[in-house]
Amino acid sequence: MVELLRSGRAFGYLAYVEGRPAGWVNASKRAECSMYRTGVGADPPDGDVISVSCFGIAPPYRGHGLVSSLLRRVLADAPGRGMAWVEAYPFNDQTNVDEDNWRGPRSLYDAHGFELVEKLESHSVLRRHDRAGGWRASG
């Protein structure tokens, strides 16, 4: 990940609490996330979509809203990065919060106006679009 960040192929945000790193979100372009790439002819194109692929929150800081704060930052900065689309991939089975919610729970994205694009066996694809500078659900 360090090499991907240095090369510019990965992008993310760190959250700090009292000067200490407390959380992370990977907000790279979908084109750089091999697990989620759609491919040639995708609509929207892979290079035009931010892929929220994972969160990492240190145990003492879980349950204090850092994931939501990080997602709000991704949404706020997307237009400045030239992106009008943000996608997320929460697991469908949310029974083990500590291990399975590293992609964020579905409820997080619902609360931020994401809409279901596709429900796959293990996870769902959710998306929001920034229309005229105001984030709205895709559709």
Side-chain angles (χ1 to χ4, degrees), residues 74-122:
V74 171
L75 293 169
D77 287 358
R81 293 177 60 199
M83 300 288 150
W85 299 93
V86 176
E87 265 185 8
Y89 318 95
F91 288 110
N92 295 326
D93 181 1
Q94 298 286 306
T95 57
N96 190 335
V97 172
D98 287 336
E99 292 179 13
D100 290 345
N101 273 3
W102 60 275
R103 294 184 189 179
R106 169 75 189 262
S107 60
L108 167 75
Y109 302 106
D110 290 343
H112 287 85
F114 283 70
E115 286 188 348
L116 179 66
V117 173
E118 183 176 6
K119 187 170 183 175
L120 303 170
E121 186 176 334
S122 67

Side-chain angles (χ1 to χ4, degrees), residues 11-16 23-28 50-52 55 57 65-83 85-86 108-109 112 114 128 130 135:
F11 189 93
Y13 296 90
L14 281 172
Y16 289 85
W24 153 264
V25 61
N26 186 332
S28 301
I50 291 174
S51 177
V52 177
F55 292 92
I57 306 297
L66 282 180
V67 169
S68 187
S69 294
L70 285 164
L71 181 59
R72 283 193 305 272
R73 173 55 66 181
V74 171
L75 293 169
D77 287 358
R81 293 177 60 199
M83 300 288 150
W85 299 93
V86 176
L108 167 75
Y109 302 106
H112 287 85
F114 283 70
R128 267 188 64 171
D130 177 23
W135 280 97

